[in-house]
Amino acid sequence: MSISDSTTFHDALEARDPAEREAALLAALPRQIAHAQRQAPAFAELLAGVDAAGVDSRAALARLPVTRKHELLERQQARRQLQEGRDVFGGFSAIGWAGCVRSSGAKRVFQSPGTIYEPEGHASDYWRVARAIHAAGFRSGELIHNSFSYHLTPAGSMMETGAHALGCTVFPGGVGNTEMQLQAVAELRPQGYIGTPSFLKILLDKAAEQGQRLSFAKALVSGEAFPPSLRDWLAERGVQGYQCYATADIGLIAYETAAREGLVLDEGVIVEIVRPGTGDPVPEGEVGELVVTTLNPDYPLVRFGTGDLSAVLPGRCPTGRSNQRIKGWMGRADQSAKVRGMFVHASQVGELRKRFPELGRARLVVEGEMANDRMSLLLELAGGPDAAPEGLAERVAAAARDITKLRAEVRFVAPGSLPNDGRVIEDARKYE
């Protein structure tokens, strides 16, 4: 699929003027905040005292708390134990069933590792994945071999409902049973594959061993890293593979296009990149944690921290899609290290930076050998190390000890000298 071929968009939203899109998202945001406060008990508590009408800008949104997955899990676990007011979703969902606080609205419920439960509502293409499937080259009337799991977790349903919304037929292959899946591919001859990239490689390798050529010409992959080497390996075997970034909590967040330049954001989410361990947005291009606010009324997650690192790419997609792009998955943001028997978290480094706004990027490096840990706190400072005011290092060191209960050597460095990789805690100890 060429870049010019891909300019047939899934819908007109993809080519909107960016200012028009931003105005529409920010107009919907106060309504979604108010809805979450009314219908989702967890957000009634988390956003207590917040005037929803005033959350009409990205700056106002950035002042709201970030809810991270471990907090969602903790609230779910606590509410599951109750006799009265029992709620497996922890108060985050606006839909449910009899016995789960809200008496209706959920079409399915899924279980993800943790254990975390996610609802699925009745909306067509509930997870909004049709956009990514279309961008990968699939069209109405084609047959898709879906090898995502159909039990417990939502991945199979996410892709199937998106494919149906696009007008495609689906073979629900699910996971495993390689021989039976190869038989189905040989007999049904689907135009493409949806699933993890590793299982697609397994299918292609196994087919080659048997002298079989699969009918797949395209693929949408997710759930794992998709390095260029594997993308090229697939292309050599006649399969054009594209990736999308989606989660069980949010649905589609971003998707790849024929331009192969990052991932374009979905139209139904508001995405921020924040400094790991905080809710503070970083400058464009800097790596940080993806925080997503969804406009889904059934599961109205506001400032949900994905725990994944990425960065915004400048400019527009060459395919003509006008939404922002991100670099894709760049690692995990929920960093921590155990030092002298105590955990140090990225949020603590974030708290330190709040106390000293004159500091730039920060990186806590843990070095030494087992039982002989030492911490160095590297901090970017405008003007470099020689510009540090007298006593600043001592004040920062005292604050670090107050926050972490551990001693750290403070070292100032020049602006831009720390890697732009989103890492604020680096464990450089030797464990041999």
Side-chain angles (χ1 to χ4, degrees):
M1 180 172 62
S2 69
I3 290 179
S4 59
D5 291 336
S6 68
T7 54
T8 303
F9 304 123
H10 176 56
D11 58 30
L13 297 178
E14 294 181 3
R16 281 185 293 180
D17 180 271
E20 178 188 346
R21 175 183 293 106
E22 185 74 354
L25 291 174
L26 294 179
L29 182 58
R31 297 193 296 270
Q32 183 73 343
I33 298 295
H35 174 75
Q37 289 172 317
R38 289 193 307 269
Q39 301 298 329
F43 284 114
E45 180 181 335
L46 291 168
L47 303 179
V50 171
D51 177 12
V55 187
D56 57 357
S57 67
R58 288 185 178 263
L61 179 63
R63 290 192 287 270
L64 303 183
V66 173
T67 299
R68 293 188 164 84
K69 185 160 289 196
H70 71 89
E71 297 170 291
L72 185 151
L73 174 59
E74 289 164 4
R75 284 178 177 266
Q76 283 200 2
Q77 290 174 330
R79 295 293 291 271
R80 289 176 210 158
Q81 308 307 315
L82 300 178
Q83 295 300 315
E84 298 294 332
R86 183 174 177 274
D87 185 344
V88 299
F89 301 119
F92 288 97
S93 175
I95 60 175
W97 60 88
C100 183
V101 182
R102 286 155 297 287
S103 62
S104 64
K107 181 179 180 180
R108 297 186 182 95
V109 57
F110 293 100
Q111 181 192 82
S112 293
T115 301
I116 294 177
Y117 292 100
E118 298 98 7
E120 181 184 70
H122 288 263
S124 174
D125 191 20
Y126 177 81
W127 310 89
R128 308 178 316 283
V129 180
R131 191 177 304 283
I133 298 173
H134 183 276
F138 292 91
R139 296 295 181 266
S140 178
E142 294 183 326
L143 174 62
I144 295 174
H145 187 103
N146 184 11
S147 283
F148 273 117
S149 174
Y150 271 83
H151 71 283
L152 296 180
T153 62
S157 183
M158 291 171 72
M159 296 299 173
E160 179 168 294
T161 53
H164 287 166
L166 196 60
C168 295
T169 302
V170 176
F171 175 76
V175 296
N177 298 311
T178 305
E179 296 291 343
M180 294 183 67
Q181 296 214 37
L182 284 174
Q183 179 185 354
V185 175
E187 296 177 349
L188 297 174
R189 301 193 60 78
Q191 279 83 8
Y193 165 97
I194 289 180
T196 63
S198 61
F199 191 64
L200 176 55
K201 186 177 187 302
I202 289 171
L203 289 175
L204 290 168
D205 280 337
K206 191 69 174 178
E209 289 176 12
Q210 299 174 356
Q212 177 184 350
R213 182 175 178 83
L214 301 186
S215 58
F216 301 149
K218 49 205 169 191
L220 178 66
V221 300
S222 192
E224 298 172 347
F226 186 47
S229 58
L230 180 53
R231 180 193 68 198
D232 295 342
W233 185 92
L234 294 176
E236 290 168 2
R237 286 151 182 82
V239 182
Q240 295 299 318
Y242 295 85
Q243 61 182 314
C244 72
Y245 171 45
T247 73
D249 319 276
I250 297 292
L252 182 68
I253 296 174
Y255 59 98
E256 191 174 21
T257 73
R260 306 286 191 186
E261 294 183 9
L263 306 182
V264 177
L265 294 182
D266 178 52
E267 299 292 329
V269 293
I270 299 174
V271 171
E272 304 167 88
I273 308 287
V274 307
R275 202 171 304 281
T278 76
D280 305 328
V282 300
E284 184 173 308
E286 187 166 329
V287 178
E289 180 185 8
L290 276 158
V291 169
V292 184
T293 297
T294 174
L295 299 181
N296 178 2
D298 295 340
Y299 201 35
L301 296 178
V302 176
R303 298 204 87 199
F304 181 74
T306 64
D308 293 324
L309 294 172
S310 194
V312 171
L313 281 173
R316 293 192 189 185
C317 180
T319 64
R321 293 174 174 85
S322 59
N323 209 344
Q324 275 191 321
R325 297 173 298 162
I326 58 174
K327 290 184 177 180
W329 187 82
M330 300 178 69
R332 292 292 294 170
D334 44 0
Q335 305 156 28
S336 64
K338 197 171 188 178
V339 182
R340 295 195 288 276
M342 300 185 67
F343 277 103
V344 181
H345 300 280
S347 58
Q348 293 174 306
V349 180
E351 173 61 28
L352 181 71
R353 287 193 67 262
K354 284 185 177 180
R355 296 192 187 186
F356 298 92
E358 65 268 37
L359 301 176
R361 289 185 193 142
R363 195 178 190 99
L364 185 68
V365 181
V366 185
E367 300 172 292
E369 299 177 357
M370 292 297 289
N372 188 28
D373 302 328
R374 62 181 182 276
M375 297 196 314
S376 298
L377 189 58
L378 310 183
L379 301 162
E380 291 187 359
L381 184 67
D386 296 336
E390 185 176 351
L392 179 60
E394 290 77 11
R395 294 197 302 275
V396 172
R401 187 174 184 184
D402 177 52
I403 293 169
T404 67
K405 313 305 178 189
L406 296 164
R407 294 181 184 274
E409 176 192 356
V410 173
R411 285 187 282 164
F412 297 114
V413 299
S417 60
L418 294 179
N420 180 24
D421 57 7
R423 183 160 293 281
V424 295
I425 296 180
E426 178 184 351
D427 192 339
R429 289 173 290 191
K430 298 178 180 178
Y431 293 95
E432 298 177 353

